Amino acid sequence: MAARGPGLGVAMALCAGALGALAATAAKLTLTGDHLRPESRQEAAPGELIHVLLRVGCGGLVFLFNALMWTFFAKALRYSSSSARASLTTTASNFLSSAFLGKLLFGEVHALLWWIGITMTLCGLLLLHTASSQKNQSENSQKHE
């Protein structure tokens, strides 16, 4: 099957990164289920059953999101011009999605060093995409001459 353009590979890699972040979030909810525990201890039996069911459900979501993430990553590798582009795009998407979900669901705050690292990753991604597109343009112009 022929590639459907470089945009499809990038879209698949972005989805893979977001799904990886969702899997990590579900794993955190599974292993540190305090977020799922009811506040009231008066109804211990029904509340505890719901707590266990929610944790098991989140455990299932870990496997589902990981399977989807690997599927999308494999497709990103197929449709991207290079494996480095797909890997770096997936990584950047995963970091940003993890930061967003961590802040939204758990109130996490990241240190300055973390933001410096993600900025360097995004700059590398931008450099990779720019260099690759310039190479493709020069190859296309040489073919037409």
Side-chain angles (χ1 to χ4, degrees):
M1 177 180 237
R4 296 180 186 145
L8 185 59
V10 171
M12 294 289 179
L14 290 172
C15 287
L19 287 164
L22 286 170
T25 301
K28 186 169 186 172
L29 289 171
T30 300
L31 298 175
T32 60
D34 297 335
H35 302 288
L36 304 175
R37 186 178 298 279
E39 295 296 325
S40 171
R41 300 302 285 167
Q42 296 170 353
E43 299 177 22
E48 198 62 35
L49 178 61
I50 291 171
H51 175 71
V52 169
L53 289 175
L54 287 173
R55 287 181 85 160
V56 169
C58 286
L61 288 175
V62 171
F63 290 105
L64 174 68
F65 288 141
N66 270 314
L68 289 171
M69 184 262 311
W70 282 111
T71 301
F72 275 85
F73 183 65
K75 289 183 182 209
L77 288 171
R78 178 188 300 164
Y79 295 124
S80 292
S81 59
S82 73
S83 60
R85 174 183 272 192
S87 297
L88 193 56
T89 304
T90 300
T91 301
S93 172
N94 185 279
F95 283 169
L96 291 174
S97 298
S98 294
F100 175 75
L101 289 170
K103 178 68 174 168
L104 180 71
L105 298 175
F106 307 111
E108 294 176 351
V109 178
H110 297 287
L112 178 62
L113 186 59
W114 189 92
W115 286 107
I116 291 170
I118 191 63
T119 301
M120 291 176 68
T121 302
L122 292 173
C123 287
L125 178 62
L126 181 64
L127 181 64
L128 182 67
H129 281 278
T130 304
S132 179
S133 65
Q134 287 177 353
K135 181 181 174 186
N136 289 341
Q137 287 176 354
S138 67
E139 287 176 358
N140 287 339
S141 66
Q142 289 176 355
K143 287 180 183 178
H144 293 318
E145 290 178 359

